Amino acid sequence: MEIKKEIALKKIPTRASEKYRNFPMVPRVVFGNGSFDQLGEILLSKRKHSEAPVIFLVDDVFEGTELVSRIPQIFCDQIIFVSAEEEPKTQQVDALVDLIKKEYQELPSGVVGIGGGTLLDLAKAVAILLTNNGSAQDYQGWDLVRKKAVYHVGVPTISGTGAEVSRTTVLLGPEKKLGINSDYTTFDQVILDPELTQGVAKEQWFYTGMDCYIHCIESLNGTYLNAFSQSYGEKALDLCKEVFLTDLSDADSRDKLMMASWHGGMSIAYSQVGVAHALSYGLGYRLGVKHGIGNCLVFQHLEEFYPEGVALFHKMKERHKINLPKGICKELSEEDLNVMVSVAMGMEPLWENALGENWKSVITPEKIKSIYKKI
């Protein structure tokens, strides 16, 4: 894959007087089959007292399953089942925070998200809003959070989004789809248990895995590329190729995709995503298209920007017999398209990473509309 190293060099500070971004990382992580059962021990040292609960936000697909019986709920802890059928919303975060504050006089000892990217993003956002006043929509953007979040733990049950390692929580708000990007967003603890990803539907496995793959392609071909992001992105890309283009056992596939997700998320920590994610945000905002499939719907038409990456995507799609929906944007009005274009063009850091500082000379509303109309 051709990497834009000559552009990336312009982005790397070369003098001691220049400042590098001091990004946070997940300080503690456990990896391994069955490691979920260590959650109780991990939480014990973080409990303030019996009246300060741990709030477990759990994908409602697990309601009534064996996994719930393994959640270390004690004292006045609460398990809240949340549907992941739709993208996480700012209003949803506000409602959860209000529910918790009304039920408990004490600030929770912690928030634990158990599920895919939706649940992980909700857990991160709730942890932030429990200590920061206002609505979740007030913090959509970059570095707007001022107070440290409640202790929060991420337990992914599907691999690919990178939400377990990223410093953002992407939310659908009344005016935009945009992340809460801050140094306080990152999880304090992550548990990576590949056993928890068993039983994921094939289509969902593919769409979420492709989110990771697209992270890699956009990071490795971006103008923000540097040795830090490149090292993680290349490893994640290699793992994605193993998972989606070779014959692995189920156990090996789960292990490798979980680590691809981790490395893919790290690849954009010191870099950024690009065209596919910018356009996917427009789909998600106006049509409610979920993030993973939204990226796939867009990426298939981005040969102009990522020719090798798109060709490999089609190869993966054909190998796993995935048929993407068609005609999603066929009946959209001009008003709908204009809203989607506005959301997409508002993602300036993504466009700059993809195309450089002069991206507006390449990307126009008409060009974006032409791509949407193919979906």
Side-chain angles (χ1 to χ4, degrees):
M1 177 176 297
E2 182 181 356
I3 308 299
K4 298 179 180 177
K5 292 181 180 177
E6 74 286 350
I7 302 178
L9 291 174
K10 299 177 184 178
K11 291 289 180 180
I12 300 175
T14 56
R15 298 191 302 272
S17 60
E18 294 188 67
K19 286 189 176 181
Y20 294 89
R21 287 301 304 271
N22 190 13
F23 286 117
M25 291 185 181
V26 175
R28 291 186 177 274
V29 58
V30 179
F31 173 84
N33 290 320
S35 59
F36 178 74
D37 292 331
Q38 293 179 228
L39 180 57
E41 177 186 348
I42 289 168
L43 292 175
L44 193 59
S45 65
K46 301 299 179 181
R47 293 182 180 276
K48 294 182 286 187
H49 50 75
S50 61
E51 300 302 314
V54 172
I55 306 297
F56 299 92
L57 302 180
V58 184
D59 190 325
D60 67 0
V61 73
F62 294 110
E63 192 167 5
T65 68
E66 180 263 347
L67 178 64
V68 176
S69 67
R70 296 166 60 193
I71 294 175
Q73 182 183 13
I74 61 175
F75 303 133
C76 58
D77 293 352
Q78 185 173 5
I79 297 174
I80 301 175
F81 291 103
V82 182
S83 172
E85 286 300 311
E86 296 182 350
E87 293 284 89
K89 299 180 175 62
T90 55
Q91 301 97 313
Q92 194 175 12
V93 174
D94 295 341
L96 287 167
V97 171
D98 287 344
L99 175 68
I100 294 167
K101 286 185 173 180
K102 286 178 181 177
E103 188 150 346
Y104 301 97
Q105 293 183 342
E106 294 283 343
L107 199 64
S109 295
V111 176
V112 180
I114 303 174
T118 294
L119 268 296
L120 298 183
D121 279 348
L122 284 174
K124 289 190 282 189
V126 167
I128 287 171
L129 268 296
L130 283 168
T131 56
N132 289 270
N133 296 327
S135 167
Q137 72 182 78
D138 300 333
Y139 299 97
Q140 285 182 287
W142 282 266
D143 300 307
L144 300 175
V145 180
R146 294 290 174 259
K147 295 181 181 178
K148 184 178 179 180
V150 166
Y151 175 80
H152 49 304
V153 180
V155 185
T157 61
I158 188 171
S159 299
T161 68
E164 65 274 15
V165 69
S166 75
R167 72 187 290 274
T168 186
T169 169
V170 181
L171 301 172
L172 190 62
E175 298 179 359
K176 54 196 170 187
K177 179 181 177 181
L178 186 61
I180 298 176
N181 299 270
S182 84
D183 285 354
Y184 301 114
T185 307
T186 312
F187 282 115
D188 298 295
Q189 170 80 56
V190 169
I191 295 178
L192 299 176
D193 185 343
E195 284 185 347
L196 300 183
T197 66
Q198 293 185 70
V200 175
K202 183 177 181 180
E203 288 79 10
Q204 187 60 53
W205 166 81
F206 183 83
Y207 297 146
T208 310
M210 286 301 100
D211 188 17
C212 175
Y213 171 72
I214 293 168
H215 282 159
C216 301
I217 299 300
E218 293 182 322
S219 174
L220 291 171
N221 287 277
T223 66
Y224 290 0
L225 184 69
N226 52 69
F228 184 97
S229 56
Q230 184 176 348
S231 64
Y232 282 104
E234 288 178 345
K235 183 59 180 177
L237 181 58
D238 287 343
L239 288 167
C240 284
K241 289 178 180 178
E242 282 192 72
V243 171
F244 293 103
L245 292 175
T246 67
D247 295 319
L248 297 174
S249 68
D250 287 344
D252 282 347
S253 178
R254 289 195 299 271
D255 286 359
K256 289 179 183 292
L257 188 55
M258 183 160 271
M259 292 317 302
S261 179
W262 182 270
H263 282 76
M266 286 299 300
S267 74
I268 58 175
Y270 224 88
S271 178
Q272 190 50 273
V273 286
V275 180
H277 277 75
L279 295 176
S280 178
Y281 284 156
L283 283 176
Y285 178 77
R286 194 60 171 177
L287 302 179
V289 176
K290 295 207 70 177
H291 185 68
I293 190 172
N295 280 338
C296 291
L297 288 170
V298 171
F299 194 71
Q300 65 180 328
H301 299 297
L302 299 184
E303 299 94 338
E304 176 184 349
F305 306 101
Y306 310 110
E308 294 179 21
V310 172
L312 196 57
F313 168 79
H314 285 301
K315 186 176 180 180
M316 293 174 174
K317 181 169 64 72
E318 290 166 8
R319 189 174 196 274
H320 294 282
K321 298 179 172 58
I322 300 296
N323 295 310
L324 293 175
K326 297 180 179 180
I328 300 293
C329 299
K330 186 177 181 180
E331 303 298 330
L332 289 182
S333 66
E334 195 68 16
E335 180 184 355
D336 288 328
L337 287 169
N338 287 336
V339 169
M340 290 162 61
V341 168
S342 177
V343 170
M345 291 197 72
M347 308 302 294
E348 295 196 11
L350 282 64
W351 291 111
E352 184 173 327
N353 178 52
L355 302 169
E357 295 178 358
N358 297 319
W359 63 270
K360 289 183 180 178
S361 65
V362 178
I363 292 298
T364 64
E366 291 71 27
K367 190 175 189 68
I368 294 177
K369 282 183 187 180
S370 71
I371 297 172
Y372 279 140
K373 287 178 179 179
K374 295 177 184 178
I375 298 172

